Structures are given as structure tokens and as C-alpha cells.
């Protein structure tokens, strides 16, 4: 490691990392725009897919570069969904109506002040594990496999692909402000936790992420989904002289029974410049693919949740088109999340990621909805606790589930 990288590593270890307020983290000029890495960390630039290059990105990753300054002023003037509705956690019917209309809804006050501070500390701690790994050839950081620079996923950067071994993430699965809303969106308390993680971007993430969806609609209607639809108030109408559902009924079922619901919790206010998530309203049941970076219209790039406050959460239907946006501020934007599934998702889709001992400390409702992702007693989830940007290193670390060693304790228990 050269002297410059040694000084950077020393700074990271001695100066507390925070995900709120201005930071010296980010803005690595040595990291080229649009550069991602393969599973072993070799740099490359992709032109298609999830990590496609942003053809409109600034040419240098420098805070006061003229291209960056022009982008910042453009965002200052125009960024954000016009008329973004932010509802309270007690406005359940209104939140439900917006969610099914737009494919997402912003709900304030999901995290009380103590929980918000806890998640800020936890988010910073886990990010610190990722950033401890030194970059190469003058780069401050290792770009995560398959992601654009200065962007990381708490989930995919974990060798277990989840963070449910972390007590702070496990504590969010059943909150007083979220559980009633989830019950309304799923038509009852018969739903499951499938994972938890989230994403973040450092200052200097100058590229737009390609619009994408996390879950693809299958347009299949198993009996369990029809039962959920009836609980959601959908009348199962059939066509005249036929036992087949009408087209309108089928579409209503697809709209009202999303396979998954993700809650992204906001650890800071979403501003015009700190990388607010963009959501394209009404796209959750479209069969079409999102536009490419080159074809995406400017209004979609500006369709962001600017104005959503810290402590709020974005309830998302992951079928809806969404994507990350540039962070041209000096603040880290972190969004830890929890992912839930409909009652009809097949059991084979679940993998053990929460230690039994942590599961046993949760509320009865949390235990029930996490029953499919807990390990057996005394077994640690495969890969849990290892964070690394590179896919090959995560694969090496995952191995097989192992017994919890006598000297290992679960933090916070």
C-alpha cells in the first residue's frame, strides 16, 4: 500500500464515520466515471443492463468541476416529484391508496428519534467495514462488483446477501408504525420477511443508475394469490359464458397483490443533491422494460422523492421502475431496508439469514414473519458478518453454515 493509501486508511480508522452531515468520504477523482468492476475487481465499463454507463455523467469526479456544478444547479432548480405526497403512519387508507396508485408511498415518522440514531450508527458501522478495503491505482475505494462507483448495497455486499444477523436490522422488521401499514397492503398479517439490507451512495456518485425493477411480475394467478385478492376487496368477476376472469379483474389482482413490499428507511432528509431515489409512478404492473440510459426522458431522471424527511420510509412495490440518482453533495445518503413477501411466495425462495438466537429475542409477530429465514439453534448464517465489495471474495467467505463458536456473541443481545 503506498503512502497516500496508508494515510487514507489511517484517516478512516481514526475519524468516526457518520451518515448524517458533511463528510470527507467520497469524491475520488481517481475513479473514472461509469467504471464498474467484475467479480474479481477488474475495472470495466458496461453499456447495457443494470450497471450501464450514464452517457450524460460529468467527465470528472470532482466537487467543483464545471460539469458537476452545472448538474448541481440543474438539480437545484428542477429535481423532485411535483406534489410528492408524504403521509403520516396513521393515515393507513390514504397510504394504501397512494401505494396501489403509484407503486410507492412515502410515510413519515416511521423511526422515532432513538431508532433513527441507532440506524444511523449501524449504517455507518457497516459502511465502514466496506470502506476499510483499500482501492487500487490511486482509487480511494473498491467499486462493488456490478455497481457504479461510490454506490454500495448493504445486502449484496454481505456474503450472506442479508443483514438480518445485525440486531439493528432485525429490530426493524416489526415496528409500531410499519406493521399496521404492511397488514393493510398485504390484506392481513399473513406475510413474510425475506431479507434486509438497503443501499447507499457516497458523495461523488455522479452517475444516474439505470432505471430497473427488483421483482418482475409473472402474471400468474395461483389460488393463494386469488385468496389474497379477495381479502384486498377485489371481486373475482368472470366473463359472460366463461369461467375465466375478466381482463379488468386480472389487472386489479396484479395491482393489489404485489409479490413483495420493500421499506427503505431514510437516515437523512432527501435533498435535491444527495442522491434521492427516483420512482416512476404507475409502472408496477407494466409488461414493458424501462428505458435505457440514452432513452430515458429528463422528467424521469427528475422524478425523485426530494422532500422526504429523515425517519420516514418509502414503501415500494419493487416491480415499479426506480433507480438511484447522483449524489453531488458532501453527505452520505444511506437507506437501510427490510423486504417482505406476499403469503403465496413459495417457501423455496427463502434462505436462512437470521440467527435463531436473535430471532428468539423478537416479538411474537416478528418471530412468525421471520420463521422462514431463521437458522436452526446454534447455527450462524452462511457468510453473515463478512462485508466485501467483490463478488469473488463474498463467495469465498460464504462457505457453509457453521455452529456459533463458544466465544462468539450476538451484538446487542
Amino acid at each position: 500500500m503506498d503512502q497516500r493509501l496508508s494515510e487514507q486508511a489511517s484517516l478512516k480508522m481514526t475519524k468516526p464515520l457518520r451518515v448524517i452531515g458533511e463528510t470527507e468520504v467520497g469524491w475520488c477523482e481517481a475513479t473514472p466515471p461509469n467504471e464498474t468492476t467484475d467479480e474479481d475487481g477488474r475495472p470495466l465499463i458496461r453499456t447495457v443492463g443494470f450497471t450501464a454507463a450514464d452517457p450524460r455523467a460529468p467527465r470528472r469526479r470532482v466537487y467543483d468541476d464545471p460539469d458537476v456544478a452545472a448538474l448541481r444547479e440543474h438539480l437545484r432548480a428542477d429535481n423532485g416529484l411535483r406534489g410528492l405526497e408524504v403521509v403520516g403512519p396513521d393515515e393507513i387508507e390514504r397510504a394504501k391508496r397512494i401505494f396501489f396508485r403509484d407503486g410507492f408511498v412515502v410515510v413519515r415518522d416511521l423511526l422515532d428519534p432513538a431508532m433513527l440514531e441507532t440506524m444511523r450508527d449501524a449504517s455507518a458501522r457497516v459502511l465502514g467495514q466496506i470502506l476499510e478495503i483499500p482501492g487500487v491505482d490511486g482509487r480511494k475505494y473498491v467499486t462493488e462488483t456490478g455497481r457504479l462507483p461510490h454506490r454500495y448495497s448493504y445486502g449484496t455486499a454481505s456474503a450472506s446477501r442479508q443483514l438480518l444477523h445485525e440486531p439493528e436490522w432485525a429490530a426493524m422488521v416489526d415496528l409500531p408504525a410499519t406493521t399496521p401499514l404492511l397488514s393493510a397492503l398485504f390484506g392481513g398479517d399473513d406475510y413474510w420477511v425475506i431479507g434486509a439490507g438497503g443501499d447507499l451512495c457516497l458523495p461523488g456518485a455522479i452517475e444516474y443508475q439505470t432505471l430497473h425493477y427488483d421483482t418482475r411480475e409473472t402474471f400468474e394467478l395461483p389460488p393463494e394469490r386469488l385468496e389474497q385478492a379477495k381479502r384486498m376487496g377485489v371481486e373475482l368477476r368472470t366473463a359472460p359464458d366463461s369461467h375465466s376472469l375478466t381482463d379488468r379483474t386480472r389487472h386489479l389482482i396484479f395491482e393489489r397483490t404485489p409479490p413483495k413490499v420493500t421499506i427503505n428507511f431514510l437516515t437523512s432528509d432527501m435533498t435535491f443533491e444527495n442522491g434521492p431515489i427516483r420512482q416512476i409512478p404507475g409502472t408496477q404492473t407494466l409488461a414493458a422494460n424501462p428505458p435505457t440510459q440514452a432513452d430515458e426522458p429528463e422528467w424521469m431522471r427528475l422524478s425523485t422523492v426530494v422532500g422526504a424527511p429523515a425517519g420516514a420510509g418509502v414503501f415500494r412495490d419493487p416491480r415499479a421502475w426506480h433507480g438511484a440518482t447522483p449524489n453531488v453533495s458532501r453527505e452520505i445518503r444511506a437507506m437501510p431496508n427490510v423486504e417482505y413477501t406476499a403469503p403465496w411466495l413459495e417457501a423455496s425462495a427463502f434462505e436462512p439469514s437470521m440467527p435463531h438466537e436473535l430471532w428468539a429475542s423478537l416479538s411474537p409477530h416478528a418471530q412468525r414473519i421471520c420463521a422462514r429465514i431463521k437458522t436452526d439453534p446454534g447455527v450462524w448464517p452462511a457468510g453473515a458478518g463478512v462485508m466485501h465489495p467483490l463478488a469473488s471474495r463474498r463467495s469465498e467467505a460464504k462457505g457453509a453454515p457453521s455452529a456459533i463458536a463458544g466465544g462468539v456473541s450476538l451484538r446487542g443481545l
Side-chain angles (χ1 to χ4, degrees):
M1 183 185 297
D2 63 26
Q3 182 178 359
R4 179 181 174 187
L5 289 178
S6 298
E7 291 172 353
Q8 290 168 351
S10 175
L11 177 63
K12 293 173 191 174
M13 289 186 289
T14 59
K15 190 168 184 177
L17 180 65
R18 296 282 289 160
V19 296
I20 186 70
E22 292 196 354
T23 179
E24 296 179 9
V25 170
W27 290 110
C28 175
E29 183 178 1
T31 303
N34 292 315
E35 179 186 85
T36 186
T37 62
D38 67 10
E39 63 178 13
D40 294 312
R42 289 182 287 265
L44 70 153
I45 293 179
R46 291 193 170 98
T47 57
V48 296
F50 178 72
T51 53
D54 176 5
R56 289 172 268 186
R59 288 166 289 184
R60 297 170 63 227
R61 202 176 304 278
V62 177
Y63 180 82
D64 55 1
D65 179 83
D67 286 351
V68 173
L71 173 60
R72 187 179 298 115
E73 290 309 307
H74 172 50
L75 296 175
R76 187 193 307 275
D78 297 316
N79 201 11
L81 273 160
R82 299 299 181 259
L84 175 69
E85 296 180 76
V86 179
V87 306
D90 58 335
E91 297 180 275
I92 292 176
E93 286 305 312
R94 183 182 173 203
K96 180 179 171 182
R97 185 170 64 251
I98 295 170
F99 178 87
F100 288 125
R101 181 192 70 196
D102 295 342
F104 71 98
V105 61
V106 179
V107 184
R108 64 177 180 272
D109 301 328
L110 296 184
L111 302 179
D112 63 30
M115 189 66 172
L116 175 58
E117 197 59 31
T118 293
M119 289 313 303
R120 284 171 172 166
D121 290 344
S123 298
R125 185 190 72 246
V126 177
L127 172 60
Q129 296 175 40
I130 299 172
L131 299 187
E132 284 176 358
I133 301 162
V136 297
D137 298 331
R139 296 169 178 81
K140 291 182 183 180
Y141 318 108
V142 177
T143 295
E144 183 177 343
T145 296
R147 291 191 181 274
L148 290 169
H150 288 30
R151 300 193 183 282
Y152 298 94
S153 164
Y154 284 122
T156 58
S158 169
S160 68
R161 294 190 65 83
Q162 308 293 345
L163 286 188
L164 285 167
H165 59 280
E166 298 282 357
E168 297 89 347
W169 267 262
M172 291 196 299
V173 304
D174 177 26
L175 296 175
T178 59
T179 296
L181 283 162
L182 288 165
S183 296
L185 298 180
F186 283 118
D189 61 3
D190 185 20
Y191 56 88
W192 304 95
V193 173
I194 194 170
D199 71 89
L200 58 98
C201 60
L202 308 182
I206 56 175
E207 304 89 347
Y208 276 84
Q209 183 187 54
T210 302
L211 279 175
H212 59 283
Y213 42 77
D214 296 334
T215 298
R216 186 72 164 173
E217 175 56 67
T218 64
F219 299 105
E220 296 176 354
L221 296 175
E224 296 83 1
R225 191 173 191 179
L226 296 178
E227 288 302 314
Q228 185 191 5
K230 288 192 288 186
R231 292 195 298 272
M232 296 301 298
V234 177
E235 184 178 354
L236 303 186
R237 294 177 176 272
T238 56
D241 303 320
S242 171
H243 295 296
S244 299
L245 296 171
T246 65
D247 290 342
R248 183 176 184 276
T249 298
R250 291 174 60 85
H251 201 80
L252 276 174
I253 295 171
F254 298 139
E255 288 181 353
R256 304 292 174 84
T257 59
K260 297 181 181 179
V261 173
T262 297
I263 307 176
N264 286 99
F265 296 92
L266 309 184
T267 60
S268 58
D269 296 342
M270 292 294 96
T271 72
F272 72 91
E273 63 178 344
N274 69 352
I277 189 173
R278 73 190 190 280
Q279 291 279 161
I280 312 304
T283 55
Q284 61 270 32
T285 57
L286 293 184
N289 289 321
T292 65
Q293 286 272 26
D295 291 337
E296 183 181 353
E298 191 64 19
W299 72 265
M300 286 189 178
R301 288 162 71 92
L302 300 170
S303 182
T304 65
V305 296
V306 170
V314 186
F315 283 71
R316 296 193 300 109
D317 181 336
R319 298 173 298 176
W321 301 353
H322 62 281
T325 65
N327 183 348
V328 292
S329 72
R330 297 190 185 276
E331 178 183 60
I332 296 168
R333 193 275 289 148
M335 295 196 310
N337 77 13
V338 181
E339 301 170 354
Y340 303 84
T341 74
W344 41 270
L345 190 72
E346 293 184 3
S348 60
F350 298 82
E351 292 188 12
S353 59
M354 178 183 287
H356 176 91
E357 290 71 15
L358 180 54
W359 172 86
S361 71
L362 302 179
S363 69
H365 177 67
Q367 288 183 5
R368 193 189 68 75
I369 62 178
C370 292
R372 288 185 173 181
I373 46 88
K374 79 174 189 67
T375 65
D376 292 331
V379 175
W380 185 253
V386 176
M387 303 295 296
H388 203 289
L390 300 183
S392 60
R393 300 296 179 86
R394 298 193 296 265
S395 296
E396 291 173 7
K398 186 166 184 178
S402 58
I404 298 176
V408 176
S409 63
L410 295 175
R411 185 175 57 260
L413 295 183

